[in-house]
Amino acid sequence: MKLPQSAASPTMYFVGVTTGQSSIMKLFPLWAEALGLGGPKIVGIDIAIHAEPKVYRDCVRFIKEDPLSLGALVTTHKIDLFNAARDLFDTLDPYATTFEEISSISKAGGQLAGHAKDPISSGLSLEAFVPPGHWKKTGGHALIMGAGGSALAICSYLTHPDRGDDVPRTIVITNRSPERLESARQLLGRIDTDVRFEFRLCPAPADNDAVLAELPAGSLVVNATGLGKDRPGSPLTDEAAFPEGGLVWELNYRGALDFMHQAIRQQAQKRLHVEDGWIYFIHGWTQVISEVFHVPIEGETFDRLEKIAMELRNGSETKGAAQK
């Protein structure tokens, strides 16, 4: 990791793995103009996956001590950053302490604040494509491949008391690491819910295939592993069979998206709804920008930013198609 120079003007950071490839680098200036923020900068900080704790501490300390560094969105490193640097934060929100992760770094009143925004942004994203009453109607389960911050956030939303009995009967979480699975088991054990959690060790894609084959019709299948974006591949093999009438959510919106393409090949036959991570991306960023710049982003304001994002994406796709 190479830390940036001290900010010469108001700056927000993107702490990730391959930040330069993200659409936010083009989108942020358009959003900042629409919000009347006065031309702040966005700078990427690339950190290798599961870096040493000192790397995360140096990153957080830089943002905390640099006057014009206003905050950051954290992706991929949310849990590792929390574990390494939680003591550097003056305040942490309840989601951050419950799930032991930080996705939003901001400053207020001279204090450094850490928030976990994924439970909110994942819920808003799910509401965009999961029909009301889906779980009661279908009896479907949820399979979340990956046991990181995004997986925990989705579990939090799916089991929230406000949902009443419109929840999956079972949520299955798979991961290649027994340590990550055990951590997820302990953190999700703090949720008061009748939904049954299963934790399955799946070191190879074929193991995820076997879990997938057990799902009833109407189940939700989520790729929360990062495979297909930061790392190549998919958590499934090409022989995997998706559940009839299932909902398939690829959390990534860029990269090879192998998992999403596996689902698309079965979409017509299995009557699947296939969703990528674009709306999740929009909600995730607007939630954090709202914290960093202390500006409400909801209602008509959110709709305006969503429209700008969709225009940028559609323009990029049209340009890409023309270049092929």
Short mmCIF file of all heavy atoms in Angstrom, two decimals, residues 103-148:
data_model
loop_
_atom_site.label_atom_id
_atom_site.label_comp_id
_atom_site.label_asym_id
_atom_site.label_seq_id
_atom_site.Cartn_x
_atom_site.Cartn_y
_atom_site.Cartn_z
N SER A 103 -17.30 0.04 7.03
CA SER A 103 -17.34 0.34 5.59
C SER A 103 -17.33 1.83 5.32
O SER A 103 -17.16 2.25 4.18
CB SER A 103 -18.58 -0.28 4.95
OG SER A 103 -19.77 0.26 5.51
N SER A 104 -17.53 2.65 6.36
CA SER A 104 -17.60 4.09 6.21
C SER A 104 -16.75 4.76 7.29
O SER A 104 -16.92 4.49 8.48
CB SER A 104 -19.05 4.58 6.33
OG SER A 104 -19.11 5.99 6.42
N ILE A 105 -15.82 5.62 6.85
CA ILE A 105 -15.00 6.41 7.76
C ILE A 105 -15.36 7.89 7.53
O ILE A 105 -15.33 8.36 6.39
CB ILE A 105 -13.50 6.19 7.51
CG1 ILE A 105 -13.13 4.71 7.68
CG2 ILE A 105 -12.66 7.05 8.43
CD1 ILE A 105 -11.71 4.38 7.28
N SER A 106 -15.68 8.60 8.59
CA SER A 106 -16.05 10.01 8.45
C SER A 106 -15.61 10.77 9.69
O SER A 106 -15.19 10.18 10.69
CB SER A 106 -17.56 10.15 8.23
OG SER A 106 -18.29 9.61 9.32
N LYS A 107 -15.70 12.09 9.60
CA LYS A 107 -15.32 12.96 10.70
C LYS A 107 -16.48 13.88 11.07
O LYS A 107 -17.18 14.38 10.19
CB LYS A 107 -14.10 13.81 10.34
CG LYS A 107 -12.83 13.02 10.06
CD LYS A 107 -11.70 13.94 9.64
CE LYS A 107 -10.42 13.19 9.38
NZ LYS A 107 -9.32 14.09 8.94
N ALA A 108 -16.64 14.11 12.36
CA ALA A 108 -17.67 15.04 12.83
C ALA A 108 -17.25 15.58 14.19
O ALA A 108 -16.93 14.80 15.10
CB ALA A 108 -19.02 14.35 12.94
N GLY A 109 -17.22 16.91 14.32
CA GLY A 109 -16.87 17.51 15.59
C GLY A 109 -15.49 17.13 16.08
O GLY A 109 -15.28 16.98 17.30
N GLY A 110 -14.56 16.93 15.15
CA GLY A 110 -13.21 16.57 15.53
C GLY A 110 -13.02 15.11 15.89
O GLY A 110 -11.94 14.70 16.33
N GLN A 111 -14.05 14.30 15.72
CA GLN A 111 -13.97 12.88 16.05
C GLN A 111 -14.04 12.02 14.80
O GLN A 111 -14.69 12.39 13.81
CB GLN A 111 -15.11 12.48 16.99
CG GLN A 111 -15.01 13.12 18.38
CD GLN A 111 -15.96 12.46 19.36
OE1 GLN A 111 -17.11 12.18 19.04
NE2 GLN A 111 -15.48 12.22 20.57
N LEU A 112 -13.35 10.89 14.84
CA LEU A 112 -13.36 9.94 13.72
C LEU A 112 -14.44 8.90 13.97
O LEU A 112 -14.46 8.24 15.01
CB LEU A 112 -12.01 9.25 13.58
CG LEU A 112 -11.83 8.43 12.29
CD1 LEU A 112 -11.70 9.36 11.09
CD2 LEU A 112 -10.59 7.53 12.40
N ALA A 113 -15.37 8.77 13.02
CA ALA A 113 -16.51 7.87 13.18
C ALA A 113 -16.41 6.70 12.20
O ALA A 113 -16.04 6.87 11.03
CB ALA A 113 -17.82 8.62 12.94
N GLY A 114 -16.75 5.53 12.68
CA GLY A 114 -16.80 4.34 11.83
C GLY A 114 -18.22 3.81 11.78
O GLY A 114 -18.88 3.68 12.81
N HIS A 115 -18.69 3.54 10.57
CA HIS A 115 -20.04 2.99 10.38
C HIS A 115 -19.96 1.72 9.54
O HIS A 115 -19.07 1.57 8.70
CB HIS A 115 -20.95 3.99 9.66
CG HIS A 115 -21.30 5.21 10.45
ND1 HIS A 115 -20.44 6.27 10.58
CD2 HIS A 115 -22.41 5.52 11.17
CE1 HIS A 115 -21.01 7.20 11.33
NE2 HIS A 115 -22.20 6.78 11.71
N ALA A 116 -20.89 0.83 9.76
CA ALA A 116 -21.11 -0.32 8.87
C ALA A 116 -22.40 -0.04 8.12
O ALA A 116 -23.50 -0.12 8.69
CB ALA A 116 -21.21 -1.61 9.67
N LYS A 117 -22.28 0.32 6.87
CA LYS A 117 -23.44 0.74 6.09
C LYS A 117 -24.06 -0.40 5.28
O LYS A 117 -25.17 -0.28 4.76
CB LYS A 117 -23.04 1.87 5.13
CG LYS A 117 -22.74 3.19 5.83
CD LYS A 117 -23.99 3.75 6.48
CE LYS A 117 -23.77 5.11 7.09
NZ LYS A 117 -24.99 5.63 7.72
N ASP A 118 -23.37 -1.53 5.18
CA ASP A 118 -23.87 -2.61 4.33
C ASP A 118 -25.24 -3.15 4.74
O ASP A 118 -26.04 -3.51 3.87
CB ASP A 118 -22.86 -3.75 4.27
CG ASP A 118 -21.81 -3.51 3.19
OD1 ASP A 118 -21.83 -2.42 2.58
OD2 ASP A 118 -20.97 -4.40 2.96
N PRO A 119 -25.56 -3.27 6.04
CA PRO A 119 -26.91 -3.74 6.37
C PRO A 119 -28.00 -2.85 5.79
O PRO A 119 -29.08 -3.33 5.45
CB PRO A 119 -26.91 -3.72 7.90
CG PRO A 119 -25.49 -3.92 8.29
CD PRO A 119 -24.70 -3.16 7.25
N ILE A 120 -27.72 -1.56 5.66
CA ILE A 120 -28.70 -0.64 5.09
C ILE A 120 -28.70 -0.74 3.57
O ILE A 120 -29.75 -0.92 2.94
CB ILE A 120 -28.40 0.80 5.53
CG1 ILE A 120 -28.47 0.92 7.05
CG2 ILE A 120 -29.37 1.78 4.87
CD1 ILE A 120 -27.97 2.24 7.59
N SER A 121 -27.52 -0.66 2.96
CA SER A 121 -27.45 -0.66 1.49
C SER A 121 -27.85 -2.01 0.90
O SER A 121 -28.49 -2.07 -0.15
CB SER A 121 -26.05 -0.26 1.02
OG SER A 121 -25.05 -1.05 1.61
N SER A 122 -27.53 -3.10 1.59
CA SER A 122 -27.94 -4.42 1.07
C SER A 122 -29.45 -4.57 1.16
O SER A 122 -30.09 -5.14 0.26
CB SER A 122 -27.25 -5.55 1.83
OG SER A 122 -27.64 -5.57 3.19
N GLY A 123 -30.05 -4.05 2.24
CA GLY A 123 -31.50 -4.12 2.37
C GLY A 123 -32.21 -3.33 1.29
O GLY A 123 -33.17 -3.81 0.68
N LEU A 124 -31.74 -2.11 1.04
CA LEU A 124 -32.34 -1.30 -0.02
C LEU A 124 -32.20 -1.97 -1.38
O LEU A 124 -33.10 -1.91 -2.22
CB LEU A 124 -31.68 0.08 -0.04
CG LEU A 124 -31.95 0.97 1.18
CD1 LEU A 124 -31.02 2.18 1.17
CD2 LEU A 124 -33.41 1.42 1.21
N SER A 125 -31.08 -2.63 -1.60
CA SER A 125 -30.84 -3.32 -2.87
C SER A 125 -31.75 -4.53 -3.02
O SER A 125 -32.31 -4.77 -4.10
CB SER A 125 -29.37 -3.74 -2.97
OG SER A 125 -28.51 -2.63 -2.84
N LEU A 126 -31.90 -5.31 -1.95
CA LEU A 126 -32.79 -6.47 -2.01
C LEU A 126 -34.23 -6.06 -2.25
O LEU A 126 -34.97 -6.72 -3.00
CB LEU A 126 -32.68 -7.28 -0.72
CG LEU A 126 -31.44 -8.17 -0.60
CD1 LEU A 126 -31.20 -8.57 0.85
CD2 LEU A 126 -31.57 -9.41 -1.48
N GLU A 127 -34.64 -4.96 -1.62
CA GLU A 127 -36.01 -4.49 -1.81
C GLU A 127 -36.30 -4.12 -3.26
O GLU A 127 -37.45 -4.12 -3.69
CB GLU A 127 -36.27 -3.29 -0.90
CG GLU A 127 -36.38 -3.67 0.57
CD GLU A 127 -36.52 -2.45 1.47
OE1 GLU A 127 -36.60 -1.32 0.93
OE2 GLU A 127 -36.52 -2.63 2.69
N ALA A 128 -35.23 -3.82 -4.02
CA ALA A 128 -35.40 -3.42 -5.41
C ALA A 128 -35.75 -4.59 -6.32
O ALA A 128 -36.31 -4.40 -7.40
CB ALA A 128 -34.14 -2.72 -5.92
N PHE A 129 -35.44 -5.86 -5.88
CA PHE A 129 -35.73 -6.97 -6.79
C PHE A 129 -36.41 -8.17 -6.13
O PHE A 129 -36.87 -9.08 -6.84
CB PHE A 129 -34.46 -7.43 -7.52
CG PHE A 129 -33.44 -8.15 -6.68
CD1 PHE A 129 -33.49 -9.52 -6.51
CD2 PHE A 129 -32.39 -7.46 -6.09
CE1 PHE A 129 -32.54 -10.19 -5.76
CE2 PHE A 129 -31.44 -8.11 -5.33
CZ PHE A 129 -31.51 -9.48 -5.17
N VAL A 130 -36.49 -8.24 -4.82
CA VAL A 130 -37.21 -9.34 -4.15
C VAL A 130 -38.66 -8.90 -3.95
O VAL A 130 -38.93 -7.95 -3.23
CB VAL A 130 -36.57 -9.70 -2.80
CG1 VAL A 130 -37.35 -10.83 -2.15
CG2 VAL A 130 -35.11 -10.10 -2.99
N PRO A 131 -39.62 -9.60 -4.57
CA PRO A 131 -41.02 -9.19 -4.45
C PRO A 131 -41.52 -9.28 -3.01
O PRO A 131 -41.13 -10.19 -2.26
CB PRO A 131 -41.76 -10.20 -5.35
CG PRO A 131 -40.73 -10.80 -6.23
CD PRO A 131 -39.45 -10.78 -5.45
N PRO A 132 -42.37 -8.36 -2.59
CA PRO A 132 -42.96 -8.46 -1.25
C PRO A 132 -43.70 -9.79 -1.10
O PRO A 132 -44.39 -10.25 -2.00
CB PRO A 132 -43.95 -7.28 -1.22
CG PRO A 132 -43.44 -6.31 -2.24
CD PRO A 132 -42.81 -7.15 -3.32
N GLY A 133 -43.51 -10.42 0.05
CA GLY A 133 -44.16 -11.71 0.31
C GLY A 133 -43.48 -12.90 -0.34
O GLY A 133 -44.01 -14.02 -0.28
N HIS A 134 -42.31 -12.68 -0.94
CA HIS A 134 -41.64 -13.77 -1.67
C HIS A 134 -41.37 -14.98 -0.80
O HIS A 134 -41.61 -16.12 -1.21
CB HIS A 134 -40.32 -13.25 -2.26
CG HIS A 134 -39.49 -14.32 -2.89
ND1 HIS A 134 -39.73 -14.79 -4.16
CD2 HIS A 134 -38.42 -15.04 -2.42
CE1 HIS A 134 -38.85 -15.73 -4.46
NE2 HIS A 134 -38.05 -15.91 -3.42
N TRP A 135 -40.88 -14.75 0.42
CA TRP A 135 -40.47 -15.88 1.25
C TRP A 135 -41.66 -16.67 1.75
O TRP A 135 -41.63 -17.91 1.79
CB TRP A 135 -39.62 -15.38 2.42
CG TRP A 135 -38.44 -14.58 1.94
CD1 TRP A 135 -38.27 -13.23 2.03
CD2 TRP A 135 -37.30 -15.08 1.24
NE1 TRP A 135 -37.08 -12.85 1.45
CE2 TRP A 135 -36.47 -13.96 0.96
CE3 TRP A 135 -36.89 -16.35 0.83
CZ2 TRP A 135 -35.26 -14.09 0.28
CZ3 TRP A 135 -35.69 -16.48 0.16
CH2 TRP A 135 -34.88 -15.37 -0.11
N LYS A 136 -42.74 -15.99 2.11
CA LYS A 136 -43.95 -16.68 2.54
C LYS A 136 -44.56 -17.48 1.39
O LYS A 136 -45.09 -18.58 1.58
CB LYS A 136 -44.97 -15.68 3.07
CG LYS A 136 -44.58 -15.04 4.41
CD LYS A 136 -45.64 -14.07 4.89
CE LYS A 136 -46.93 -14.79 5.24
NZ LYS A 136 -47.94 -13.87 5.83
N LYS A 137 -44.50 -16.91 0.20
CA LYS A 137 -45.12 -17.55 -0.96
C LYS A 137 -44.35 -18.77 -1.42
O LYS A 137 -44.94 -19.80 -1.76
CB LYS A 137 -45.23 -16.54 -2.10
CG LYS A 137 -45.82 -17.10 -3.38
CD LYS A 137 -45.88 -16.03 -4.47
CE LYS A 137 -46.42 -16.61 -5.77
NZ LYS A 137 -46.45 -15.57 -6.85
N THR A 138 -43.01 -18.68 -1.43
CA THR A 138 -42.20 -19.75 -2.04
C THR A 138 -41.62 -20.74 -1.04
O THR A 138 -41.33 -21.88 -1.40
CB THR A 138 -41.04 -19.14 -2.82
OG1 THR A 138 -40.11 -18.51 -1.90
CG2 THR A 138 -41.53 -18.13 -3.84
N GLY A 139 -41.43 -20.31 0.22
CA GLY A 139 -40.73 -21.17 1.17
C GLY A 139 -39.26 -21.33 0.84
O GLY A 139 -38.61 -22.29 1.29
N GLY A 140 -38.73 -20.41 0.03
CA GLY A 140 -37.33 -20.51 -0.39
C GLY A 140 -36.35 -20.26 0.74
O GLY A 140 -36.68 -19.65 1.76
N HIS A 141 -35.14 -20.75 0.55
CA HIS A 141 -34.03 -20.52 1.47
C HIS A 141 -33.12 -19.44 0.87
O HIS A 141 -33.35 -18.98 -0.25
CB HIS A 141 -33.24 -21.80 1.70
CG HIS A 141 -34.01 -22.88 2.38
ND1 HIS A 141 -33.47 -24.11 2.70
CD2 HIS A 141 -35.30 -22.92 2.80
CE1 HIS A 141 -34.39 -24.86 3.29
NE2 HIS A 141 -35.50 -24.17 3.37
N ALA A 142 -32.08 -19.09 1.58
CA ALA A 142 -31.06 -18.19 1.06
C ALA A 142 -29.70 -18.87 1.20
O ALA A 142 -29.38 -19.40 2.26
CB ALA A 142 -31.05 -16.86 1.80
N LEU A 143 -28.94 -18.89 0.12
CA LEU A 143 -27.56 -19.40 0.12
C LEU A 143 -26.64 -18.22 -0.14
O LEU A 143 -26.73 -17.59 -1.20
CB LEU A 143 -27.36 -20.48 -0.94
CG LEU A 143 -25.91 -20.87 -1.24
CD1 LEU A 143 -25.23 -21.43 0.01
CD2 LEU A 143 -25.85 -21.89 -2.39
N ILE A 144 -25.79 -17.93 0.81
CA ILE A 144 -24.83 -16.83 0.68
C ILE A 144 -23.44 -17.44 0.67
O ILE A 144 -22.98 -17.99 1.68
CB ILE A 144 -24.98 -15.82 1.82
CG1 ILE A 144 -26.42 -15.31 1.88
CG2 ILE A 144 -24.01 -14.65 1.62
CD1 ILE A 144 -26.71 -14.43 3.08
N MET A 145 -22.79 -17.36 -0.46
CA MET A 145 -21.43 -17.89 -0.59
C MET A 145 -20.46 -16.77 -0.28
O MET A 145 -20.37 -15.78 -0.99
CB MET A 145 -21.23 -18.45 -2.00
CG MET A 145 -22.09 -19.69 -2.26
SD MET A 145 -22.01 -20.29 -3.96
CE MET A 145 -22.97 -19.01 -4.79
N GLY A 146 -19.72 -16.95 0.83
CA GLY A 146 -18.87 -15.91 1.37
C GLY A 146 -19.32 -15.60 2.78
O GLY A 146 -20.52 -15.61 3.07
N ALA A 147 -18.37 -15.33 3.67
CA ALA A 147 -18.71 -15.07 5.08
C ALA A 147 -18.14 -13.74 5.56
O ALA A 147 -17.90 -13.57 6.75
CB ALA A 147 -18.20 -16.22 5.95
N GLY A 148 -17.93 -12.82 4.63
CA GLY A 148 -17.41 -11.51 4.98
C GLY A 148 -18.50 -10.54 5.37
O GLY A 148 -19.63 -10.91 5.67
#
